[in-house]
Amino acid sequence: MEVASSSKSDEMKPTVWILAGQPVLDEVIAPIYWGLEEEGIPAELREVSGGSAESLARQAAGSSPLNVGIGIDGAGQTVALHHRDLSVGKPLLSLAADELRPMLLRQLGRNAARLVKGDPLVLQNEDAARTEVQHSTKPSHNEADELQALIVRIVTELLQKE
Amino acid sequence: MAYIAGVDIGNNSTEVAIAQLGQSGEVRFLSSALVRTVGIKGTVQNAMGIIDALDLGLEPLSIERHDLDIVLLNEATPVIGDVAMETITETVITESAMIGHNPSTPGGQGLGIGTSVTLDDLERVSTDQPWIVIIPEEMDFREAASRLNRATSAGLDIVGAIVQKDDAVLINNRLHSPVPIVDEVAHIERVPMGMVAAIEVAGPGKTIEKLSNPYDIATVFGLDPEETRRVVPIARALMGTRSAVVIKTPQGDIQERRIPAGKITLIGQERKTEVQVQDGAEAIMHQLDQVYPLVEIEAEPGTNVGGMFEHVRKVMANLTDQPVSSVRVQDVLAVDTLKPQMVLGALAGEYTLGNAVGLAAMVETHKLPMQRLARKLEEEIIVRTIVGGIEAEMAIYGALTTPGIQPPLAILDLGGGSTDASLIDEAGVIHSVHLAGAGDMVTLLIDTELGLEDRELAENIKRFPLAKAETLFHQRHEDGSVQFFHEPFDPRLFGRVVVLAENGSIPLDTRESLAKIVAVRQGAKRKVFVRNAIRALERVAPANNIRLISFVALVGGSALDFEIPQMISDALIEYGVVTGRANVRSTEGPRNAVATGLVLAHVEKQKE
């Protein structure tokens, strides 16, 4: 996995920015990268000292030439996807600690790329959910329920906005 | 001074016009109202809706129901339409032989031809021929890539891969020598091993060239002319896709099968003819013209069309208390259409476009029990209620209040179940016809061609324009204009084609482009309404010549459609006819024509 260095010279490369608080956990970062890579959108990772996932995501979106950023908080507890035009504190998608599994992380990466491309987001994918259930190391997880919970949360957030 | 109410009970809506009749016989219209029709038109259940509509019209006037002197009902046309679809071709794969789907992100580029082999068996195969590797979902993409790289280093000629998960780009990016890869193949276990396979991936923004051409498929697999003929359905199914796989199996066969759809018998006044539904819409419509005027149409029992005919007969029989055998189908409209169908035996949910024929039928009988409804209403509201006039004639009288119109005038009533036309000539004589096929048929065609299997959604696509949410804050309308919003869209709308329905945007869960959906919608409207407009006008026109009609006014619900009036106008312009939406009483638009006509006709009768 290529992790770009944070030199000033490549700041204007068209990439999705990922800002991650230390320590950066590979099992969280890698699936996000794969989601972006499968969709063909480059990303670059910058490590920072701290901050909430939402504020890091907003910051990343503000700096990304593609206007899309992902934030991962220092403890590796939460992940958020943000767009530069969205208000602070209102990320497009976010994942809580108990949602940080490969399938959902990859989906978040995929959605970051799709946000750049203007393609419909993948919010429900039963095939992928089934695949994840079959190969999950923790078979007790019910992906479908969690997906539903995620969607309920997104909808609730949106409703609160209005 | 007296108050009069005209009431028009339609299939979908009930309309009211309330007027005041002065001492010297002058009519002043006071208000109009519109509600949904309760129950099937012409039944006593309609009374509830009529009372609602009357109250709605009276409320702003501070007039009570009992202040009305008379309520006039229309002699509703006893016409019911229904629609059905008959599929006439389908593609059947008897052994897995084709994958032609559009994963959103295939890997690599180009054409690869080799023998299918699983990743596990790769270590045991020879180096003297090219291979196409099958990668099941259990396999992590990194592991898959490194095994492929090892095999290539060992001298194996790997020319492509078929992957179950959405991993094609990830695998391809990790290969030392990239190959075309097709992913998201759900039923990968159905891919036969040890068979010659061809895989093609086109570059971004392009579509495949080789596997969509029967002669290239013949070249790849060394097919003889007879075999080439049989791969035509494959080639057709693969046209326009970005990636595809074709596998040749010894017993495998792909057939385009014609499904026996039965025949219909057209019985005219002078002659009788049979036509096979599978011969298509043109053949049916041609035969229909030959036997016109029509007395009855029969369809074979056990077919969809036969079932539909039975259903409309039954509904009409119940409605009018007549035996089913006495209800006759008096017109049909047949339309050729394409129906996306799952390929039987497919590997990744591929579909092909099968041919289908949509049929609308119309039954007409003597009289609906309007008198019964009038008595029921009279009991309920204690106001004298009479059946005031025939719908088609009343609509003409109403339409004549449109500024700028004079006879010979034809009206086209574009409804849900039937398309009706009436003509009034200079002498005041009125002719009318009722034809099968209207709004419901358009909905059926949209539903079928887009493979929605959701009539309500199809209805919304018919009624409202489309847009696409291009960013989180702006959407582009189908006419190309852009609209900005202050609040971001729901993530579920982003990037999707949406229907701008009355109660908000409805996202469409389809990969079809906006342009394709617009084309289907407009095509469906033309096939039904433009065709029926011409058919209906030819029948009522003097000497069947549309040029002899000076004015055509559109009335009814579908006249309010955002594009149908223009389509009809475009079609009629070459006949030199003034075509437009009616503007009843200069204020009501295409609405309220019948209710208005009832009041005017009643007043005329009083004067005599």
Side-chain angles (χ1 to χ4, degrees):
Chain A
M1 190 184 63
E2 312 99 281
V3 175
S5 65
S6 59
S7 73
K8 286 236 162 154
S9 62
D10 56 21
E11 250 175 30
M12 289 318 290
K13 272 202 295 195
T15 54
V16 167
W17 277 37
I18 304 173
L19 290 183
Q22 286 165 330
V24 179
L25 302 171
D26 192 52
E27 64 262 35
V28 174
I29 296 285
I32 296 176
Y33 255 98
W34 298 334
L36 281 149
E37 186 185 340
E38 178 65 27
E39 296 285 332
I41 298 294
E44 59 187 278
L45 175 72
R46 279 149 208 260
E47 295 185 15
V48 293
S49 53
S52 74
E54 283 182 16
S55 68
L56 289 176
R58 183 65 177 71
Q59 216 178 309
S63 306
S64 157
L66 298 177
N67 304 331
V68 173
I70 294 169
I72 305 166
D73 79 351
Q77 293 296 299
T78 55
V79 178
L81 169 61
H82 228 304
H83 190 276
R84 196 189 57 185
D85 297 338
L86 290 173
S87 324
V88 177
K90 290 178 181 170
L92 189 71
L93 299 168
S94 57
L95 295 177
D98 60 347
E99 294 169 326
L100 300 190
R101 285 183 317 286
M103 180 239 158
L104 289 176
L105 288 164
R106 188 161 157 183
Q107 193 165 293
L108 184 125
R110 204 175 169 196
N111 282 333
R114 291 181 152 248
L115 189 55
V116 171
K117 296 198 282 187
D119 284 349
L121 305 184
V122 183
L123 298 173
Q124 249 174 326
N125 188 333
E126 280 167 24
D127 287 336
R130 195 194 58 223
T131 305
E132 179 76 5
V133 170
Q134 280 170 1
H135 304 292
S136 172
T137 47
K138 292 170 250 168
S140 61
H141 276 133
N142 187 336
E143 294 285 339
D145 283 357
E146 283 169 16
L147 255 177
Q148 196 185 0
L150 170 72
I151 289 156
V152 167
R153 204 157 49 78
I154 294 165
V155 172
T156 317
E157 278 171 18
L158 278 164
L159 286 175
Q160 281 167 353
K161 260 188 232 174
E162 281 164 10
Chain B
M1 209 171 61
Y3 293 112
I4 306 173
V7 178
D8 170 27
I9 306 136
N11 283 315
N12 297 314
S13 52
T14 297
E15 290 179 303
V16 162
I18 292 169
Q20 189 181 40
L21 182 61
Q23 299 295 354
S24 50
E26 79 279 6
V27 183
R28 197 157 66 90
F29 283 91
L30 304 175
S31 71
S32 310
L34 185 153
V35 300
R36 275 195 83 81
T37 297
V38 179
I40 296 176
K41 107 172 168 185
T43 59
V44 286
Q45 284 97 313
N46 297 162
M48 291 305 297
I50 298 172
I51 293 172
D52 267 2
L54 284 173
D55 287 348
L56 201 66
L58 292 170
E59 202 196 336
L61 308 175
S62 313
I63 300 172
E64 298 295 322
R65 249 189 258 151
H66 57 76
D67 295 332
L68 289 171
D69 291 274
I70 191 165
V71 173
L72 306 158
L73 302 187
N74 61 319
E75 177 75 70
T77 324
V79 166
I80 303 180
D82 199 3
V83 288
M85 189 63 68
E86 207 73 75
T87 306
I88 54 182
T89 61
E90 67 178 356
T91 302
V92 181
I93 302 180
T94 46
E95 190 173 317
S96 300
M98 163 183 83
I99 303 172
H101 74 141
N102 251 344
S104 54
T105 52
Q109 204 169 312
L111 178 70
I113 301 156
T115 304
S116 55
V117 62
T118 63
L119 194 56
D120 285 336
D121 287 341
L122 206 52
E123 290 156 16
R124 294 184 282 278
V125 299
S126 66
T127 55
D128 58 2
Q129 57 166 311
W131 298 99
I132 285 189
V133 185
I134 315 301
I135 301 170
E137 65 179 344
E138 302 85 58
M139 188 62 63
D140 182 82
F141 66 89
R142 289 165 294 187
E143 172 73 10
S146 76
R147 284 212 215 172
L148 289 175
N149 282 332
R150 271 207 308 277
T152 312
S153 310
L156 282 180
D157 183 13
I158 292 169
V159 294
I162 302 171
V163 184
Q164 191 160 15
K165 279 197 291 184
D166 182 17
D167 284 342
V169 176
L170 290 168
I171 293 175
N172 194 64
N173 285 353
R174 282 160 184 76
L175 294 183
H176 302 319
S177 48
V179 292
I181 304 177
V182 166
D183 62 1
E184 296 179 69
V185 175
H187 297 289
I188 205 159
E189 73 282 353
R190 293 190 197 155
V191 176
M193 295 303 148
M195 300 295 159
V196 179
I199 181 165
E200 184 177 3
V201 175
K206 295 191 177 148
T207 58
I208 57 163
E209 291 172 357
K210 300 283 184 190
L211 297 184
S212 55
N213 176 7
Y215 300 126
D216 281 316
I217 298 177
T219 312
V220 167
F221 295 107
L223 303 182
D224 64 33
E226 188 45 44
E227 288 170 318
T228 306
R229 186 185 300 280
R230 290 212 300 268
V231 300
V232 170
I234 304 189
R236 276 173 42 89
L238 297 180
M239 277 174 194
T241 62
R242 220 198 117 191
S243 64
V245 175
V246 175
I247 301 164
K248 189 180 185 222
T249 57
Q251 289 84 33
D253 196 8
I254 293 180
Q255 295 180 343
E256 191 172 68
R257 203 173 70 176
R258 289 189 87 77
I259 304 165
K263 58 176 189 290
I264 55 178
T265 310
L266 307 168
I267 304 163
Q269 273 172 9
E270 268 129 52
R271 46 183 293 232
K272 169 176 165 176
T273 179
E274 278 184 1
V275 53
Q276 297 289 332
V277 173
Q278 72 208 50
D279 290 345
E282 285 312 312
I284 296 171
M285 296 314 284
H286 177 71
Q287 290 299 330
L288 192 65
D289 281 344
Q290 299 294 306
V291 301
Y292 184 82
L294 206 60
V295 178
E296 163 74 323
I297 304 175
E298 288 166 356
E300 227 168 294
T303 62
N304 288 344
V305 168
M308 184 262 286
F309 279 18
E310 277 323 296
H311 180 249
V312 278
R313 273 184 225 274
K314 243 181 233 157
V315 171
M316 184 58 104
N318 285 342
L319 195 61
T320 54
D321 281 334
Q322 293 181 47
V324 174
S325 58
S326 74
V327 180
R328 310 210 173 282
V329 177
Q330 308 217 297
D331 186 41
V332 290
L333 173 68
V335 173
D336 283 322
T337 181
L338 295 170
K339 181 180 183 184
Q341 289 171 293
M342 298 300 290
V343 173
L344 298 178
L347 299 175
E350 307 95 291
Y351 65 84
T352 58
L353 290 174
N355 293 306
V357 173
L359 268 172
M362 188 271 297
V363 292
E364 189 173 356
T365 165
H366 311 299
K367 253 186 183 181
L368 286 174
M370 294 305 293
Q371 292 296 348
R372 213 163 58 189
L373 172 61
R375 280 199 302 277
K376 161 90 174 164
L377 192 67
E378 203 167 61
E379 276 169 36
E380 293 277 339
I381 62 173
I382 326 194
V383 173
R384 189 158 77 96
T385 305
I386 62 166
V387 178
I390 296 163
E391 189 171 341
E393 295 178 4
M394 298 304 114
I396 285 262
Y397 292 141
L400 278 171
T401 63
T402 298
I405 268 183
Q406 70 173 32
L409 161 74
I411 57 166
L412 279 171
D413 185 346
L414 314 169
S418 68
T419 301
D420 307 330
S422 313
L423 176 100
I424 185 165
D425 61 22
E426 285 102 328
V429 181
I430 295 175
H431 302 276
S432 50
V433 292
H434 307 283
L435 297 182
D440 296 341
M441 180 73 163
V442 174
T443 306
L444 176 76
L445 290 174
I446 292 172
D447 192 27
T448 304
E449 287 193 27
L450 294 177
L452 302 172
E453 297 185 7
D454 181 345
R455 284 285 176 95
E456 201 181 324
L457 182 60
E459 178 75 19
N460 279 313
I461 291 176
K462 177 181 79 178
R463 291 177 55 204
F464 303 104
L466 302 175
K468 186 172 182 188
E470 291 191 330
T471 70
L472 289 167
F473 292 91
H474 88 257
Q475 67 183 14
R476 188 174 293 276
H477 291 273
E478 65 176 58
D479 66 356
S481 64
V482 171
Q483 184 182 11
F484 282 88
F485 294 85
H486 293 294
E487 288 295 315
F489 293 121
D490 184 319
R492 287 168 302 180
L493 300 185
F494 177 80
R496 290 196 183 277
V497 176
V498 297
V499 183
L500 301 174
E502 257 160 9
N503 309 321
S505 300
I506 306 168
L508 299 181
D509 186 19
T510 169
R511 278 195 186 168
E512 303 287 10
S513 68
L514 182 144
K516 166 76 191 292
I517 300 169
V518 169
V520 167
R521 182 192 74 210
Q522 294 181 340
K525 286 176 179 175
R526 280 201 188 93
K527 284 182 208 171
V528 175
F529 280 119
V530 172
R531 171 146 207 172
N532 263 354
I534 305 274
R535 239 168 32 111
L537 290 176
E538 275 176 352
R539 293 201 186 162
V540 295
N544 298 337
N545 185 352
I546 297 179
R547 289 178 187 283
L548 301 178
I549 303 172
S550 313
F551 296 92
V552 170
L554 308 179
V555 299
S558 299
L560 291 167
D561 185 90
F562 66 100
E563 56 192 353
I564 291 171
Q566 192 194 332
M567 289 175 181
I568 293 177
S569 176
D570 286 349
L572 292 181
I573 195 95
E574 59 180 282
Y575 296 95
V577 181
V578 179
T579 309
R581 268 197 297 256
N583 191 13
V584 175
R585 291 191 261 125
S586 312
T587 55
E588 303 296 309
R591 289 281 190 195
N592 213 272
V594 174
T596 299
L598 279 165
V599 171
L600 295 174
H602 178 74
V603 172
E604 279 306 304
K605 231 184 280 170
Q606 298 295 94
K607 281 182 188 166
E608 280 163 16

